[in-house]
mmCIF file of all heavy atoms in Angstrom:
data_model
loop_
_atom_site.group_PDB
_atom_site.id
_atom_site.type_symbol
_atom_site.label_atom_id
_atom_site.label_comp_id
_atom_site.label_asym_id
_atom_site.label_seq_id
_atom_site.Cartn_x
_atom_site.Cartn_y
_atom_site.Cartn_z
ATOM 1 N N ASP A 3 0.851 -1.188 0.000
ATOM 2 C CA ASP A 3 0.000 0.000 0.000
ATOM 3 C C ASP A 3 0.885 1.235 0.000
ATOM 4 O O ASP A 3 1.835 1.326 0.787
ATOM 5 C CB ASP A 3 -0.891 0.052 1.246
ATOM 6 C CG ASP A 3 -2.066 -0.905 1.179
ATOM 7 O OD1 ASP A 3 -2.287 -1.516 0.108
ATOM 8 O OD2 ASP A 3 -2.769 -1.042 2.189
ATOM 9 N N LEU A 4 0.569 2.177 -0.869
ATOM 10 C CA LEU A 4 1.203 3.489 -0.881
ATOM 11 C C LEU A 4 0.159 4.459 -0.350
ATOM 12 O O LEU A 4 -0.981 4.464 -0.814
ATOM 13 C CB LEU A 4 1.648 3.864 -2.288
ATOM 14 C CG LEU A 4 2.762 2.949 -2.784
ATOM 15 C CD1 LEU A 4 2.340 2.242 -4.034
ATOM 16 C CD2 LEU A 4 4.034 3.717 -2.956
ATOM 17 N N PHE A 5 0.540 5.262 0.627
ATOM 18 C CA PHE A 5 -0.453 6.063 1.320
ATOM 19 C C PHE A 5 0.016 7.499 1.558
ATOM 20 O O PHE A 5 1.197 7.808 1.517
ATOM 21 C CB PHE A 5 -0.843 5.406 2.646
ATOM 22 C CG PHE A 5 0.321 5.076 3.544
ATOM 23 C CD1 PHE A 5 0.852 6.027 4.400
ATOM 24 C CD2 PHE A 5 0.884 3.816 3.527
ATOM 25 C CE1 PHE A 5 1.921 5.724 5.227
ATOM 26 C CE2 PHE A 5 1.953 3.497 4.349
ATOM 27 C CZ PHE A 5 2.473 4.463 5.198
ATOM 28 N N LEU A 6 -0.966 8.350 1.821
ATOM 29 C CA LEU A 6 -0.765 9.759 2.155
ATOM 30 C C LEU A 6 -1.146 9.959 3.608
ATOM 31 O O LEU A 6 -2.216 9.539 4.041
ATOM 32 C CB LEU A 6 -1.653 10.632 1.258
ATOM 33 C CG LEU A 6 -1.685 12.128 1.542
ATOM 34 C CD1 LEU A 6 -0.311 12.761 1.343
ATOM 35 C CD2 LEU A 6 -2.729 12.796 0.653
ATOM 36 N N ARG A 7 -0.244 10.594 4.357
ATOM 37 C CA ARG A 7 -0.519 10.906 5.761
ATOM 38 C C ARG A 7 -1.200 12.269 5.869
ATOM 39 O O ARG A 7 -1.122 13.082 4.950
ATOM 40 C CB ARG A 7 0.789 10.959 6.557
ATOM 41 C CG ARG A 7 1.502 9.654 6.657
ATOM 42 C CD ARG A 7 2.760 9.822 7.535
ATOM 43 N NE ARG A 7 3.488 8.582 7.604
ATOM 44 C CZ ARG A 7 4.407 8.205 6.721
ATOM 45 N NH1 ARG A 7 4.731 8.994 5.721
ATOM 46 N NH2 ARG A 7 5.016 7.045 6.858
ATOM 47 N N THR A 8 -1.811 12.525 7.002
ATOM 48 C CA THR A 8 -2.449 13.831 7.221
ATOM 49 C C THR A 8 -1.410 14.952 7.237
ATOM 50 O O THR A 8 -1.742 16.099 6.971
ATOM 51 C CB THR A 8 -3.245 13.846 8.542
ATOM 52 O OG1 THR A 8 -2.376 13.509 9.622
ATOM 53 C CG2 THR A 8 -4.405 12.867 8.489
ATOM 54 N N SER A 9 -0.137 14.620 7.488
ATOM 55 C CA SER A 9 0.940 15.621 7.485
ATOM 56 C C SER A 9 1.317 16.048 6.073
ATOM 57 O O SER A 9 2.056 17.018 5.894
ATOM 58 C CB SER A 9 2.185 15.049 8.171
ATOM 59 O OG SER A 9 2.722 13.976 7.398
ATOM 60 N N GLY A 10 0.844 15.304 5.068
ATOM 61 C CA GLY A 10 1.186 15.602 3.679
ATOM 62 C C GLY A 10 2.333 14.759 3.149
ATOM 63 O O GLY A 10 2.649 14.826 1.969
ATOM 64 N N SER A 11 2.958 13.967 4.004
ATOM 65 C CA SER A 11 4.027 13.085 3.541
ATOM 66 C C SER A 11 3.417 11.772 3.055
ATOM 67 O O SER A 11 2.279 11.441 3.369
ATOM 68 C CB SER A 11 5.040 12.825 4.654
ATOM 69 O OG SER A 11 4.468 12.049 5.685
ATOM 70 N N TYR A 12 4.203 11.039 2.288
ATOM 71 C CA TYR A 12 3.772 9.763 1.734
ATOM 72 C C TYR A 12 4.572 8.635 2.356
ATOM 73 O O TYR A 12 5.660 8.848 2.875
ATOM 74 C CB TYR A 12 3.966 9.747 0.216
ATOM 75 C CG TYR A 12 3.026 10.671 -0.502
ATOM 76 C CD1 TYR A 12 3.300 12.028 -0.608
ATOM 77 C CD2 TYR A 12 1.857 10.188 -1.070
ATOM 78 C CE1 TYR A 12 2.437 12.889 -1.263
ATOM 79 C CE2 TYR A 12 0.985 11.044 -1.728
ATOM 80 C CZ TYR A 12 1.283 12.385 -1.813
ATOM 81 O OH TYR A 12 0.412 13.220 -2.452
ATOM 82 N N GLY A 13 4.029 7.438 2.277
ATOM 83 C CA GLY A 13 4.716 6.269 2.789
ATOM 84 C C GLY A 13 4.222 5.024 2.093
ATOM 85 O O GLY A 13 3.337 5.070 1.240
ATOM 86 N N PHE A 14 4.821 3.897 2.465
ATOM 87 C CA PHE A 14 4.395 2.610 1.931
ATOM 88 C C PHE A 14 4.665 1.529 2.960
ATOM 89 O O PHE A 14 5.458 1.707 3.882
ATOM 90 C CB PHE A 14 5.136 2.273 0.624
ATOM 91 C CG PHE A 14 6.575 1.865 0.821
ATOM 92 C CD1 PHE A 14 6.912 0.531 0.956
ATOM 93 C CD2 PHE A 14 7.582 2.806 0.867
ATOM 94 C CE1 PHE A 14 8.236 0.147 1.138
ATOM 95 C CE2 PHE A 14 8.902 2.445 1.042
ATOM 96 C CZ PHE A 14 9.236 1.104 1.184
ATOM 97 N N ASP A 15 3.986 0.411 2.800
ATOM 98 C CA ASP A 15 4.274 -0.757 3.602
ATOM 99 C C ASP A 15 3.822 -1.992 2.849
ATOM 100 O O ASP A 15 2.969 -1.910 1.955
ATOM 101 C CB ASP A 15 3.611 -0.703 4.976
ATOM 102 C CG ASP A 15 4.354 -1.536 6.018
ATOM 103 O OD1 ASP A 15 5.312 -2.263 5.655
ATOM 104 O OD2 ASP A 15 3.985 -1.464 7.196
ATOM 105 N N GLU A 16 4.407 -3.125 3.193
ATOM 106 C CA GLU A 16 4.059 -4.410 2.604
ATOM 107 C C GLU A 16 3.222 -5.189 3.619
ATOM 108 O O GLU A 16 3.559 -5.226 4.802
ATOM 109 C CB GLU A 16 5.335 -5.185 2.268
ATOM 110 C CG GLU A 16 5.090 -6.492 1.551
ATOM 111 C CD GLU A 16 6.385 -7.198 1.167
ATOM 112 O OE1 GLU A 16 7.438 -6.898 1.758
ATOM 113 O OE2 GLU A 16 6.319 -8.062 0.284
ATOM 114 N N PHE A 17 2.139 -5.778 3.145
ATOM 115 C CA PHE A 17 1.195 -6.484 4.007
ATOM 116 C C PHE A 17 0.944 -7.898 3.504
ATOM 117 O O PHE A 17 1.131 -8.194 2.330
ATOM 118 C CB PHE A 17 -0.145 -5.747 4.043
ATOM 119 C CG PHE A 17 -0.065 -4.379 4.646
ATOM 120 C CD1 PHE A 17 0.169 -3.269 3.844
ATOM 121 C CD2 PHE A 17 -0.204 -4.193 6.013
ATOM 122 C CE1 PHE A 17 0.242 -2.008 4.393
ATOM 123 C CE2 PHE A 17 -0.127 -2.934 6.574
ATOM 124 C CZ PHE A 17 0.097 -1.837 5.760
ATOM 125 N N ARG A 18 0.469 -8.740 4.413
ATOM 126 C CA ARG A 18 0.120 -10.124 4.102
ATOM 127 C C ARG A 18 -1.196 -10.472 4.791
ATOM 128 O O ARG A 18 -1.501 -9.952 5.849
ATOM 129 C CB ARG A 18 1.214 -11.063 4.609
ATOM 130 C CG ARG A 18 0.908 -12.528 4.389
ATOM 131 C CD ARG A 18 2.027 -13.414 4.934
ATOM 132 N NE ARG A 18 1.671 -14.802 4.752
ATOM 133 C CZ ARG A 18 1.960 -15.533 3.683
ATOM 134 N NH1 ARG A 18 2.661 -15.001 2.711
ATOM 135 N NH2 ARG A 18 1.583 -16.790 3.597
ATOM 136 N N ARG A 19 -1.945 -11.375 4.171
ATOM 137 C CA ARG A 19 -3.113 -11.959 4.823
ATOM 138 C C ARG A 19 -3.093 -13.452 4.544
ATOM 139 O O ARG A 19 -2.651 -13.900 3.490
ATOM 140 C CB ARG A 19 -4.414 -11.335 4.340
ATOM 141 C CG ARG A 19 -4.774 -11.648 2.921
ATOM 142 C CD ARG A 19 -6.113 -11.072 2.559
ATOM 143 N NE ARG A 19 -6.321 -11.185 1.119
ATOM 144 C CZ ARG A 19 -7.359 -10.743 0.495
ATOM 145 N NH1 ARG A 19 -8.302 -10.125 1.168
ATOM 146 N NH2 ARG A 19 -7.488 -10.895 -0.803
ATOM 147 N N ASP A 20 -3.556 -14.207 5.498
ATOM 148 C CA ASP A 20 -3.575 -15.654 5.378
ATOM 149 C C ASP A 20 -5.014 -16.137 5.391
ATOM 150 O O ASP A 20 -5.830 -15.648 6.184
ATOM 151 C CB ASP A 20 -2.809 -16.295 6.541
ATOM 152 C CG ASP A 20 -1.337 -15.922 6.525
ATOM 153 O OD1 ASP A 20 -0.740 -15.941 5.429
ATOM 154 O OD2 ASP A 20 -0.784 -15.610 7.589
ATOM 155 N N PRO A 21 -5.361 -17.082 4.520
ATOM 156 C CA PRO A 21 -6.756 -17.556 4.447
ATOM 157 C C PRO A 21 -7.277 -18.064 5.785
ATOM 158 O O PRO A 21 -8.435 -17.844 6.127
ATOM 159 C CB PRO A 21 -6.708 -18.685 3.422
ATOM 160 C CG PRO A 21 -5.414 -18.574 2.724
ATOM 161 C CD PRO A 21 -4.496 -17.767 3.575
ATOM 162 N N GLU A 22 -6.423 -18.714 6.564
ATOM 163 C CA GLU A 22 -6.873 -19.256 7.847
ATOM 164 C C GLU A 22 -7.107 -18.165 8.898
ATOM 165 O O GLU A 22 -7.712 -18.408 9.932
ATOM 166 C CB GLU A 22 -5.877 -20.297 8.380
ATOM 167 C CG GLU A 22 -4.491 -19.765 8.652
ATOM 168 C CD GLU A 22 -3.549 -19.809 7.457
ATOM 169 O OE1 GLU A 22 -3.990 -20.016 6.310
ATOM 170 O OE2 GLU A 22 -2.346 -19.609 7.671
ATOM 171 N N ASP A 23 -6.636 -16.955 8.627
ATOM 172 C CA ASP A 23 -6.832 -15.825 9.540
ATOM 173 C C ASP A 23 -7.805 -14.810 8.955
ATOM 174 O O ASP A 23 -7.647 -13.607 9.119
ATOM 175 C CB ASP A 23 -5.493 -15.127 9.808
ATOM 176 C CG ASP A 23 -4.542 -15.984 10.606
ATOM 177 O OD1 ASP A 23 -5.019 -16.860 11.340
ATOM 178 O OD2 ASP A 23 -3.329 -15.766 10.503
ATOM 179 N N SER A 24 -8.843 -15.279 8.288
ATOM 180 C CA SER A 24 -9.747 -14.397 7.553
ATOM 181 C C SER A 24 -10.364 -13.303 8.420
ATOM 182 O O SER A 24 -10.657 -12.233 7.929
ATOM 183 C CB SER A 24 -10.836 -15.201 6.864
ATOM 184 O OG SER A 24 -11.616 -15.885 7.826
ATOM 185 N N GLY A 25 -10.524 -13.534 9.685
ATOM 186 C CA GLY A 25 -11.115 -12.526 10.550
ATOM 187 C C GLY A 25 -10.161 -11.414 10.952
ATOM 188 O O GLY A 25 -10.582 -10.362 11.415
ATOM 189 N N ARG A 26 -8.887 -11.625 10.766
ATOM 190 C CA ARG A 26 -7.893 -10.635 11.206
ATOM 191 C C ARG A 26 -7.463 -9.672 10.126
ATOM 192 O O ARG A 26 -6.927 -8.620 10.412
ATOM 193 C CB ARG A 26 -6.667 -11.351 11.762
ATOM 194 C CG ARG A 26 -6.983 -12.110 13.020
ATOM 195 C CD ARG A 26 -5.738 -12.685 13.600
ATOM 196 N NE ARG A 26 -6.075 -13.989 14.168
ATOM 197 C CZ ARG A 26 -5.212 -14.844 14.612
ATOM 198 N NH1 ARG A 26 -3.936 -14.562 14.552
ATOM 199 N NH2 ARG A 26 -5.587 -15.989 15.106
ATOM 200 N N GLY A 27 -7.621 -10.029 8.869
ATOM 201 C CA GLY A 27 -7.262 -9.135 7.779
ATOM 202 C C GLY A 27 -5.768 -9.083 7.513
ATOM 203 O O GLY A 27 -5.035 -10.023 7.762
ATOM 204 N N TRP A 28 -5.329 -7.934 7.019
ATOM 205 C CA TRP A 28 -3.944 -7.724 6.593
ATOM 206 C C TRP A 28 -3.066 -7.344 7.781
ATOM 207 O O TRP A 28 -3.501 -6.634 8.674
ATOM 208 C CB TRP A 28 -3.887 -6.614 5.567
ATOM 209 C CG TRP A 28 -4.611 -6.918 4.294
ATOM 210 C CD1 TRP A 28 -5.918 -6.642 4.022
ATOM 211 C CD2 TRP A 28 -4.081 -7.544 3.132
ATOM 212 N NE1 TRP A 28 -6.233 -7.063 2.751
ATOM 213 C CE2 TRP A 28 -5.116 -7.617 2.172
ATOM 214 C CE3 TRP A 28 -2.828 -8.045 2.796
ATOM 215 C CZ2 TRP A 28 -4.938 -8.164 0.918
ATOM 216 C CZ3 TRP A 28 -2.645 -8.585 1.529
ATOM 217 C CH2 TRP A 28 -3.702 -8.644 0.614
ATOM 218 N N TYR A 29 -1.809 -7.766 7.753
ATOM 219 C CA TYR A 29 -0.845 -7.338 8.766
ATOM 220 C C TYR A 29 0.497 -7.027 8.088
ATOM 221 O O TYR A 29 0.835 -7.593 7.052
ATOM 222 C CB TYR A 29 -0.678 -8.388 9.872
ATOM 223 C CG TYR A 29 -0.246 -9.748 9.417
ATOM 224 C CD1 TYR A 29 1.097 -10.098 9.368
ATOM 225 C CD2 TYR A 29 -1.189 -10.697 9.026
ATOM 226 C CE1 TYR A 29 1.496 -11.360 8.943
ATOM 227 C CE2 TYR A 29 -0.798 -11.951 8.608
ATOM 228 C CZ TYR A 29 0.548 -12.277 8.566
ATOM 229 O OH TYR A 29 0.942 -13.512 8.138
ATOM 230 N N SER A 30 1.234 -6.104 8.664
ATOM 231 C CA SER A 30 2.498 -5.653 8.089
ATOM 232 C C SER A 30 3.549 -6.746 8.173
ATOM 233 O O SER A 30 3.755 -7.349 9.223
ATOM 234 C CB SER A 30 2.991 -4.407 8.826
ATOM 235 O OG SER A 30 4.278 -4.041 8.342
ATOM 236 N N ILE A 31 4.208 -6.973 7.045
ATOM 237 C CA ILE A 31 5.361 -7.867 7.035
ATOM 238 C C ILE A 31 6.625 -7.111 6.629
ATOM 239 O O ILE A 31 7.718 -7.624 6.755
ATOM 240 C CB ILE A 31 5.153 -9.087 6.119
ATOM 241 C CG1 ILE A 31 4.908 -8.667 4.671
ATOM 242 C CG2 ILE A 31 4.038 -9.968 6.650
ATOM 243 C CD1 ILE A 31 4.911 -9.823 3.674
ATOM 244 N N GLY A 32 6.453 -5.902 6.133
ATOM 245 C CA GLY A 32 7.599 -5.116 5.678
ATOM 246 C C GLY A 32 8.109 -4.159 6.731
ATOM 247 O O GLY A 32 9.289 -3.861 6.806
ATOM 248 N N HIS A 33 7.180 -3.663 7.534
ATOM 249 C CA HIS A 33 7.507 -2.695 8.590
ATOM 250 C C HIS A 33 8.251 -1.471 8.045
ATOM 251 O O HIS A 33 9.217 -1.003 8.635
ATOM 252 C CB HIS A 33 8.287 -3.376 9.717
ATOM 253 C CG HIS A 33 7.600 -4.604 10.230
ATOM 254 N ND1 HIS A 33 6.431 -4.542 10.958
ATOM 255 C CD2 HIS A 33 7.878 -5.915 10.069
ATOM 256 C CE1 HIS A 33 6.041 -5.773 11.250
ATOM 257 N NE2 HIS A 33 6.898 -6.625 10.718
ATOM 258 N N HIS A 34 7.756 -0.960 6.897
ATOM 259 C CA HIS A 34 8.341 0.220 6.271
ATOM 260 C C HIS A 34 7.467 1.458 6.474
ATOM 261 O O HIS A 34 7.785 2.532 5.964
ATOM 262 C CB HIS A 34 8.502 0.002 4.762
ATOM 263 C CG HIS A 34 9.256 -1.226 4.402
ATOM 264 N ND1 HIS A 34 10.603 -1.380 4.661
ATOM 265 C CD2 HIS A 34 8.855 -2.388 3.822
ATOM 266 C CE1 HIS A 34 11.004 -2.577 4.247
ATOM 267 N NE2 HIS A 34 9.958 -3.207 3.731
ATOM 268 N N GLY A 35 6.379 1.322 7.197
ATOM 269 C CA GLY A 35 5.376 2.372 7.301
ATOM 270 C C GLY A 35 5.828 3.669 7.943
ATOM 271 O O GLY A 35 5.199 4.698 7.758
ATOM 272 N N ALA A 36 6.923 3.667 8.668
ATOM 273 C CA ALA A 36 7.378 4.884 9.335
ATOM 274 C C ALA A 36 8.198 5.798 8.421
ATOM 275 O O ALA A 36 8.333 6.991 8.697
ATOM 276 C CB ALA A 36 8.196 4.536 10.573
ATOM 277 N N ALA A 37 8.721 5.257 7.331
ATOM 278 C CA ALA A 37 9.532 6.065 6.408
ATOM 279 C C ALA A 37 8.648 7.112 5.739
ATOM 280 O O ALA A 37 7.513 6.826 5.359
ATOM 281 C CB ALA A 37 10.187 5.175 5.367
ATOM 282 N N GLU A 38 9.162 8.320 5.603
ATOM 283 C CA GLU A 38 8.393 9.423 5.019
ATOM 284 C C GLU A 38 9.045 9.901 3.733
ATOM 285 O O GLU A 38 10.270 10.005 3.644
ATOM 286 C CB GLU A 38 8.298 10.583 6.009
ATOM 287 C CG GLU A 38 7.510 10.232 7.254
ATOM 288 C CD GLU A 38 7.289 11.427 8.156
ATOM 289 O OE1 GLU A 38 7.376 12.574 7.687
ATOM 290 O OE2 GLU A 38 7.025 11.201 9.342
ATOM 291 N N PHE A 39 8.192 10.227 2.747
ATOM 292 C CA PHE A 39 8.656 10.678 1.438
ATOM 293 C C PHE A 39 7.873 11.921 1.042
ATOM 294 O O PHE A 39 6.703 12.061 1.386
ATOM 295 C CB PHE A 39 8.467 9.562 0.405
ATOM 296 C CG PHE A 39 9.178 8.304 0.798
ATOM 297 C CD1 PHE A 39 8.521 7.315 1.529
ATOM 298 C CD2 PHE A 39 10.506 8.119 0.489
ATOM 299 C CE1 PHE A 39 9.176 6.165 1.930
ATOM 300 C CE2 PHE A 39 11.175 6.970 0.885
ATOM 301 C CZ PHE A 39 10.518 5.999 1.605
ATOM 302 N N PRO A 40 8.506 12.828 0.280
ATOM 303 C CA PRO A 40 7.844 14.095 -0.054
ATOM 304 C C PRO A 40 6.781 13.987 -1.141
ATOM 305 O O PRO A 40 5.970 14.894 -1.314
ATOM 306 C CB PRO A 40 9.005 14.979 -0.528
ATOM 307 C CG PRO A 40 10.024 14.012 -1.050
ATOM 308 C CD PRO A 40 9.890 12.791 -0.176
ATOM 309 N N SER A 41 6.777 12.871 -1.885
ATOM 310 C CA SER A 41 5.815 12.721 -2.974
ATOM 311 C C SER A 41 5.425 11.251 -3.143
ATOM 312 O O SER A 41 6.143 10.343 -2.682
ATOM 313 C CB SER A 41 6.415 13.229 -4.298
ATOM 314 O OG SER A 41 7.475 12.376 -4.717
ATOM 315 N N PHE A 42 4.321 11.047 -3.837
ATOM 316 C CA PHE A 42 3.891 9.690 -4.166
ATOM 317 C C PHE A 42 4.959 8.988 -4.992
ATOM 318 O O PHE A 42 5.279 7.818 -4.752
ATOM 319 C CB PHE A 42 2.554 9.739 -4.929
ATOM 320 C CG PHE A 42 2.140 8.396 -5.451
ATOM 321 C CD1 PHE A 42 1.466 7.504 -4.635
ATOM 322 C CD2 PHE A 42 2.430 8.019 -6.756
ATOM 323 C CE1 PHE A 42 1.091 6.246 -5.111
ATOM 324 C CE2 PHE A 42 2.054 6.766 -7.237
ATOM 325 C CZ PHE A 42 1.382 5.894 -6.405
ATOM 326 N N GLU A 43 5.520 9.701 -5.957
ATOM 327 C CA GLU A 43 6.529 9.123 -6.844
ATOM 328 C C GLU A 43 7.761 8.669 -6.067
ATOM 329 O O GLU A 43 8.338 7.617 -6.357
ATOM 330 C CB GLU A 43 6.917 10.123 -7.938
ATOM 331 C CG GLU A 43 5.816 10.421 -8.928
ATOM 332 C CD GLU A 43 4.754 11.400 -8.419
ATOM 333 O OE1 GLU A 43 4.942 12.022 -7.347
ATOM 334 O OE2 GLU A 43 3.722 11.524 -9.093
ATOM 335 N N ALA A 44 8.183 9.455 -5.084
ATOM 336 C CA ALA A 44 9.335 9.086 -4.259
ATOM 337 C C ALA A 44 9.033 7.855 -3.414
ATOM 338 O O ALA A 44 9.878 6.964 -3.259
ATOM 339 C CB ALA A 44 9.752 10.254 -3.368
ATOM 340 N N ALA A 45 7.815 7.776 -2.881
ATOM 341 C CA ALA A 45 7.420 6.602 -2.095
ATOM 342 C C ALA A 45 7.362 5.366 -2.976
ATOM 343 O O ALA A 45 7.823 4.287 -2.578
ATOM 344 C CB ALA A 45 6.074 6.839 -1.416
ATOM 345 N N LEU A 46 6.834 5.493 -4.181
ATOM 346 C CA LEU A 46 6.756 4.362 -5.106
ATOM 347 C C LEU A 46 8.151 3.895 -5.506
ATOM 348 O O LEU A 46 8.423 2.692 -5.532
ATOM 349 C CB LEU A 46 5.944 4.737 -6.347
ATOM 350 C CG LEU A 46 5.805 3.657 -7.418
ATOM 351 C CD1 LEU A 46 5.164 2.388 -6.858
ATOM 352 C CD2 LEU A 46 5.012 4.191 -8.611
ATOM 353 N N ALA A 47 9.055 4.824 -5.797
ATOM 354 C CA ALA A 47 10.428 4.455 -6.149
ATOM 355 C C ALA A 47 11.108 3.720 -5.000
ATOM 356 O O ALA A 47 11.778 2.698 -5.206
ATOM 357 C CB ALA A 47 11.222 5.693 -6.551
ATOM 358 N N ALA A 48 10.933 4.213 -3.782
ATOM 359 C CA ALA A 48 11.526 3.554 -2.613
ATOM 360 C C ALA A 48 10.929 2.168 -2.409
ATOM 361 O O ALA A 48 11.643 1.216 -2.082
ATOM 362 C CB ALA A 48 11.325 4.414 -1.367
#
């Protein structure tokens, strides 16, 4: 997921979901969500 924060910065993270955990949904496996980028393009490149 590539996302926009309320601060105006962009970020991304990698997520996984497992069929046996259907009630829990997606969870982070990349742990990249704290990194901040000035644009969508910069976040996508990273």
